[in-house]
Amino acid sequence: MQASTAVTPTTGHCGTIFVTIELSQKTWLVTLHSPDRDRISRHKVEGGDHAELLALIQRVQVRVADRLGTAPKVVSCYEAGYDGFWLHRLLMAAGITNFVFDPASIAVEQRSRRAKTDRIDGELLLRTLMAHQRGEPRVVRIVRVPSVEQEDARRASRERDRLVKEQTGHTNRIKALLRLVGMAVGNPRRGDWLGWLERQRDRQGDPMPSHLLAEVKREHARLMLVREQLAALEQASATSAACVPAQMAERQELLQRLKALGPVFAATLTNEVLYKDFRNRREVASYCGLTPSPWRSGGIDREQGISKAGNPRARLKAVELAWLWRRHQPDSKLSQWFAARTANAGKRARRVAIIALARKLIVALWRYLTTGLVPEGAVMKA
């Protein structure tokens, strides 16, 4: 363990121990300030050794209690990232008030070559935590930690998206290999496709070269494996609907009543965005990264586009839903707004407008789920 003599900023929390944890796979750097000392101490813990972390905090608690005569409060934080939220739940269960910070919201120096070490980051996290506890506004954004059930429920939709991308990649690779020799492609996703392929000939009437055929067969085997996993995942999702939290299941059902939303899309939207309890429409758009980012300073006034901060999967689905909404809900007020906005407009103007439609639509769906207000002009399924 290592300690330094750096002086800590003045704080009004005399009976509070502040702890920040800089996480990595190899080691954790614990930066700590206790009310019985006027300095910041640092302690290295082996990565993932939560027992040693809790023991360290407990030793400091005992020392402070002996010095002050009262049991101190412990407040900790770490940045959201690779380790997820298991450590947050562990600390909260141990009676420690913990916060998970959004790393992108922490203010840093704007030098062209700023120094960055775990030591510096630990001190910065500590100052940010103290400022947040003092009640300073807009110091940092706190991540809302989902429950274990909510976090587990969205694994199926995320795995499905990943498998669909792999399926598309294998299919495109097979098509590219066959184009090298000018052969027909057919449908590689069929189970009897390899038998059909061996009967094909190139433009000169020759069979496919042996090495190329072997590579295509291996690629096709990977494609078939992905398709089997997709089928098994869809079957498991249909049979394990009872494991989904009641609120999420109810919201999925409400979304499926709207035309243009199928079971897979409704589940993905619910798992990524609409399971959260937002306070207002700005939080909904901000979570999807669909809020504008103006640049106004002095005489400069321009727009930089959407912020793209937040959940990228949610933003992708919101934009995809906007195009589906235009096709399946042409008489709704939102679709009519888009049509009027893009009348006689070019491709770029349509792309800009579809982002605005996605923002309006995701907010309208949030209102529909929380208040029961159906989007104006939307058609419900029979």
Side-chain angles (χ1 to χ4, degrees):
M1 295 187 295
Q2 300 176 348
S4 74
T5 58
V7 178
T8 183
T10 303
T11 175
H13 299 272
C14 299
T16 304
I17 300 173
F18 294 97
V19 182
T20 64
I21 312 165
E22 190 69 24
L23 303 176
S24 68
Q25 295 187 27
K26 186 177 181 181
T27 58
W28 289 354
L29 180 63
V30 182
T31 306
L32 189 145
H33 175 261
S34 57
D36 63 330
R37 295 183 178 180
D38 59 350
R39 63 182 183 181
I40 296 175
S41 61
R42 298 174 183 83
H43 311 267
K44 283 189 176 181
V45 179
E46 186 178 353
D49 192 354
H50 57 86
E52 176 59 26
L53 174 65
L54 294 178
L56 169 64
I57 296 175
Q58 187 176 10
R59 290 196 298 269
V60 176
Q61 280 184 292
V62 172
R63 188 193 70 207
V64 174
D66 292 342
R67 183 71 61 87
L68 301 182
T70 58
K73 178 183 177 182
V74 182
V75 180
S76 65
C77 73
Y78 67 90
E79 294 178 334
Y82 184 82
D83 288 271
F85 303 119
W86 70 269
L87 183 58
H88 169 81
R89 299 185 181 104
L90 180 75
L91 293 171
M92 295 293 288
I96 299 171
T97 303
N98 184 75
F99 299 99
V100 182
F101 287 172
D102 178 8
S105 66
I106 300 175
V108 297
E109 293 183 1
Q110 297 299 316
R111 296 179 180 178
S112 58
R113 288 186 179 179
R114 68 179 182 91
K116 176 178 171 56
T117 63
D118 288 344
R119 181 189 183 97
I120 295 174
D121 290 346
E123 291 183 5
L124 178 59
L125 274 178
L126 189 63
R127 292 196 300 269
T128 305
L129 177 61
M130 290 179 171
H132 174 70
Q133 287 299 100
R134 286 195 300 267
E136 295 185 15
R138 296 182 179 271
V139 174
V140 68
R141 286 194 292 269
I142 307 297
V143 177
R144 298 185 186 180
V145 179
S147 66
V148 177
E149 294 77 13
Q150 290 174 336
E151 190 173 13
D152 186 63
R154 64 187 181 188
R155 298 315 313 168
S157 60
R158 291 190 175 186
E159 183 183 5
R160 184 184 183 279
D161 289 345
R162 187 168 61 253
L163 289 175
V164 168
K165 290 180 181 179
E166 291 181 11
Q167 176 181 252
T168 304
H170 291 314
T171 304
N172 291 341
R173 179 60 181 165
I174 291 173
K175 292 179 179 179
L177 290 174
L178 294 180
R179 288 297 181 185
L180 290 175
V181 292
M183 295 185 66
V185 176
N187 185 6
R189 299 181 183 181
R190 293 183 55 178
D192 58 349
W193 182 78
L194 284 179
W196 172 86
L197 179 65
E198 292 178 350
R199 297 191 296 270
Q200 302 303 308
R201 297 294 182 267
D202 61 11
R203 304 300 180 185
Q204 286 75 34
D206 298 327
M208 184 183 298
S210 59
H211 290 292
L212 182 60
L213 178 61
E215 183 179 357
V216 170
K217 286 183 176 181
R218 288 189 291 268
E219 193 74 31
H220 184 262
R222 290 191 287 270
L223 174 62
M224 290 295 103
L225 176 61
V226 170
R227 289 186 60 80
E228 290 175 5
Q229 292 180 347
L230 268 173
L233 180 61
E234 292 178 358
Q235 184 178 3
S237 299
T239 57
S240 63
C243 300
V244 179
Q247 185 187 35
M248 296 178 67
E250 180 184 357
R251 293 188 174 185
Q252 290 180 21
E253 183 181 355
L254 287 173
L255 286 177
Q256 291 184 52
R257 296 179 186 178
L258 290 169
K259 191 177 179 181
L261 283 166
V264 173
F265 209 100
T268 304
L269 273 181
T270 304
N271 295 339
E272 295 296 340
V273 192
L274 300 174
Y275 75 95
K276 289 179 171 288
D277 295 322
F278 298 101
R279 290 175 293 185
N280 51 56
R281 60 184 178 84
R282 293 181 180 85
E283 287 190 358
V284 181
S286 178
Y287 181 78
C288 297
L290 295 172
T291 52
S293 53
W295 184 280
R296 299 190 183 100
S297 178
I300 302 175
D301 187 358
R302 62 184 177 88
E303 291 290 338
Q304 304 176 97
I306 58 175
S307 66
K308 293 187 178 181
N311 190 332
R313 299 182 184 88
R315 182 170 61 255
L316 175 66
K317 291 301 177 182
V319 176
E320 185 178 350
L321 176 62
W323 289 113
L324 290 174
W325 193 266
R326 280 281 300 127
R327 177 185 299 177
H328 298 285
Q329 298 278 6
D331 298 328
S332 67
K333 185 177 180 180
L334 290 174
S335 295
Q336 292 175 359
W337 172 86
F338 178 84
R341 187 71 177 265
T342 58
N344 302 322
K347 292 183 178 180
R348 184 181 182 280
R350 289 177 62 85
R351 289 197 300 268
V352 173
I354 203 67
I355 299 298
L357 177 61
R359 180 171 60 248
K360 291 175 177 290
L361 184 56
I362 201 70
V363 171
L365 292 182
W366 166 72
R367 284 202 184 102
Y368 165 63
L369 294 178
T370 54
T371 66
L373 180 64
V374 179
E376 188 173 347
V379 179
M380 308 296 288
K381 294 178 182 176

